[in-house]
């Protein structure tokens, strides 16, 4: 049939708020709010996953078809919009007072947001490194937490396992695409290194100028020394970053790959007004926007949690707010995209490039 209810499945949807006992009539308004807000989040997560998968699949191609970059941008823009919608929903949860929540909280143990399979899928699909994960404060990994309390497998575990096996992360395909960027010449390590070298020189010159200005305005000798050290560290950071010397344990091939990725990001950001670079640069800017929203989500969740349950132990057994705040601070996926912000130059200090014409297009052609 083709009625609204046949399509939107209204009755089915409204029958899903009965909690563990599938009996909504026994639940307080507070508990139904608790359930519905979670369900709404899971639906937003579902849409976010679909868009991230679409974007990942586009970048998986080699070469990535130019014509598809706008579609990738559309998907990423939608992910940002979805998070922007979802984050303020925590406000509704905050209408639950501490004591109202305590009325049913103990019945939830050991269930926890830890067990949201779709949140884990989002992290995995984006490319969060497992080594960064903060211990939950219980035995086993985040995967173990997806098992039922008797240790048996669950639909959540199956979903996350399937995601882990279902192909590369957005981060890995995006970085491979960036490494193939022609940087002022052919897409070779030599072009990338030449550009990086010129950029480092431009950067040093700009920072030296900033040191001069800071010295003129500092009041005491100690302040001058402190500022100078700070600025000199910026020079060192830029060098180590562009030479990929900051990470230990990489073999030479991995380091060279890293250098190309980083040079490509700096190049795209520095010459974003060249027509052929405009879309790639738009895409990386949207990736930053997605990660920024994720961090804001974690922060907002933590502040809501602090308001409702303070700093007590979570039903999942973690340190609660302390754990959540750590995730907001430490879970970073696209570190290189963020790091480039620190070293970009004013337009007049950006090195001149030789092959500017290759990045233009002419409508007349
Ligand atoms: C009153 C409402 C809520 C409280 C008090 C609360 C509390 C907590 C706490 C304490 C944790 C840490 C794990 C633990 O030890 O249990 C946690 C994790 C989590 N919560 Fe909530 N939460 C609430 C609502 C929500 C909502 C509405 C969502 C939306 C889906 C959500 C999603 C998550 C997720 C995904 C995690 C895992 C975070 C991670 O491991 O990075 N929570 N929550
Ligand atoms: N970890 C929460 C409980 C909790 O939030 C929760 C429990 C069951 C189903 C979903 C939950 N939501 C998100 O963390 C707490 O410690 O109160």
């Amino acid at each position: 049939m083709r009625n609204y209810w046949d399509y939107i499945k209204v009755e089915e949807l409204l029958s899903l708020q009965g909690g563990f006992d599938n009996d909504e009539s026994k639940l307080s308004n507070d508990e139904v709010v608790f359930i519905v807000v979670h369900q709404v989040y899971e639906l937003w997560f579902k849409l976010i996953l679909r868009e991230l998968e679409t974007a990942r699949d586009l970048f998986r191609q080699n070469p990535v078809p130019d014509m598809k970059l706008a579609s990738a941008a559309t998907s990423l823009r939608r992910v940002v919009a979805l998070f922007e919608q979802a984050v303020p929903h925590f406000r509704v949860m905050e209408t639950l007072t501490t004591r109202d929540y305590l009325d049913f909280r103990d019945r939830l143990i050991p269930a926890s947001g830890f067990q949201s399979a779709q949140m884990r899928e989002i992290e995995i699909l984006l490319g969060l490194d497992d080594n960064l994960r903060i211990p939950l404060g219980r035995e086993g990994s985040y995967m173990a937490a997806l098992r039922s309390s008797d240790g048996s497998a669950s639909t959540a575990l199956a979903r996350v396992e399937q995601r882990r096996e279902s192909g590369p992360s957005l981060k890995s395909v995006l970085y491979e695409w960036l490494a193939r960027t022609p940087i002022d010449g052919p897409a070779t390590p030599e072009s990338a290194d030449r550009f990086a070298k010129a950029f480092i020189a431009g950067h040093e010159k700009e920072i030296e100028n900033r040191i001069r200005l800071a010295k003129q305005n500092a009041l005491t000798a100690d302040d001058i020394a402190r500022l100078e050290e700070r600025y000199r560290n910026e020079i060192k950071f830029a060098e180590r970053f562009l030479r990929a010397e900051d990470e230990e344990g990489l073999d030479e091939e991995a380091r060279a790959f890293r250098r190309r990725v980083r040079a490509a990001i700096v190049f795209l950001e520095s010459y974003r007004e060249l027509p052929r670079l405009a879309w790639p640069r738009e895409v990386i800017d949207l990736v930053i926007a997605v990660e920024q929203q994720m961090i804001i989500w974690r922060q907002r969740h933590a502040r809501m949690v602090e308001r409702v349950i303070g700093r007590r132990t979570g039903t999942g057994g973690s340190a609660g707010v302390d754990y959540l705040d750590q995730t907001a601070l430490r879970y970073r996926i696209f570190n290189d995209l963020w790091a480039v912000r620190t070293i970009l130059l004013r337009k007049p200090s950006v090195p001149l490039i030789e092959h500017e014409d290759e990045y233009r297009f002419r409508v007349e052609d």
Side-chain angles (χ1 to χ4, degrees), residues 38-194:
H38 280 87
Q39 290 180 338
V40 171
Y41 270 107
E42 291 292 340
L43 287 172
W44 290 135
F45 291 166
K46 175 178 181 156
L47 296 182
I48 289 169
L49 279 164
R50 288 187 69 113
E51 297 302 333
L52 289 177
E53 198 169 304
T54 300
R56 190 275 313 265
D57 289 343
L58 288 170
F59 282 102
R60 210 172 182 174
Q61 302 169 67
N62 180 4
V64 175
D66 289 354
M67 308 265 291
K68 296 282 185 200
L69 283 183
S71 326
T74 303
S75 282
L76 294 171
R77 212 175 284 124
R78 181 174 281 161
V79 174
V80 175
L82 286 163
F83 270 119
E84 283 171 352
Q85 279 302 309
V87 168
H89 289 186
F90 285 123
R91 181 70 199 95
V92 178
M93 208 52 123
E94 284 172 346
T95 62
L96 197 67
T97 66
T98 306
R99 290 166 58 212
D100 293 339
Y101 178 44
L102 292 178
D103 277 344
F104 60 92
R105 181 173 185 250
D106 285 352
R107 274 194 283 119
L108 306 180
I109 297 174
S112 155
F114 266 167
Q115 297 176 315
S116 167
Q118 292 200 102
M119 182 45 126
R120 297 293 177 239
E121 285 187 83
I122 292 174
E123 293 170 350
I124 292 163
L125 185 52
L126 284 171
L128 179 66
D129 185 343
D130 275 349
N131 297 322
L132 281 180
R133 288 191 185 274
I134 292 154
L136 315 180
R138 51 182 273 175
E139 294 291 321
S141 68
Y142 72 102
M143 292 299 281
L146 293 169
R147 291 185 176 274
S148 306
S149 42
D150 63 4
S152 60
S154 64
T155 50
L157 181 68
R159 182 178 276 283
V160 175
E161 276 174 346
Q162 154 74 18
R163 178 63 66 187
R164 278 160 62 106
E165 287 153 17
S166 76
S169 65
L170 178 64
K171 176 178 176 173
S172 77
V173 292
L174 187 83
Y175 280 19
E176 274 162 30
W177 169 70
L178 284 168
R180 298 193 300 267
T181 307
I183 300 175
D184 196 19
T188 58
E190 291 72 34
S191 308
D193 290 343
R194 192 161 26 84

Side-chain angles (χ1 to χ4, degrees), residues 190-257:
E190 291 72 34
S191 308
D193 290 343
R194 192 161 26 84
F195 174 72
K197 213 170 154 194
F199 193 89
I200 288 170
H203 184 262
E204 186 168 357
K205 211 167 129 208
E206 193 162 302
I207 298 283
E208 292 292 355
N209 197 39
R210 219 159 276 152
I211 292 174
R212 201 177 45 77
L213 289 173
K215 278 183 174 166
Q216 282 170 7
N217 289 293
L219 290 178
T220 69
D222 278 356
D223 278 347
I224 290 178
R226 251 189 302 273
L227 279 166
E228 179 150 11
E229 194 191 346
R230 200 162 284 189
Y231 282 119
R232 299 233 172 267
N233 281 338
E234 284 193 32
I235 296 177
K236 263 187 241 151
F237 172 79
E239 285 172 356
R240 287 168 61 76
F241 177 78
L242 285 169
R243 293 175 188 153
E245 290 167 350
D246 53 333
E247 291 201 39
E248 284 162 28
L250 295 185
D251 60 29
E252 204 27 61
E253 195 185 333
R255 219 175 278 286
F257 176 82

Side-chain angles (χ1 to χ4, degrees), residues 34 38 41 93 112-113 119-120 298 301 305 314-318 323:
F34 187 84
H38 280 87
Y41 270 107
M93 208 52 123
S112 155
M119 182 45 126
R120 297 293 177 239
R298 292 187 198 280
H301 173 256
V305 172
T315 52
S318 82
Y323 163 80

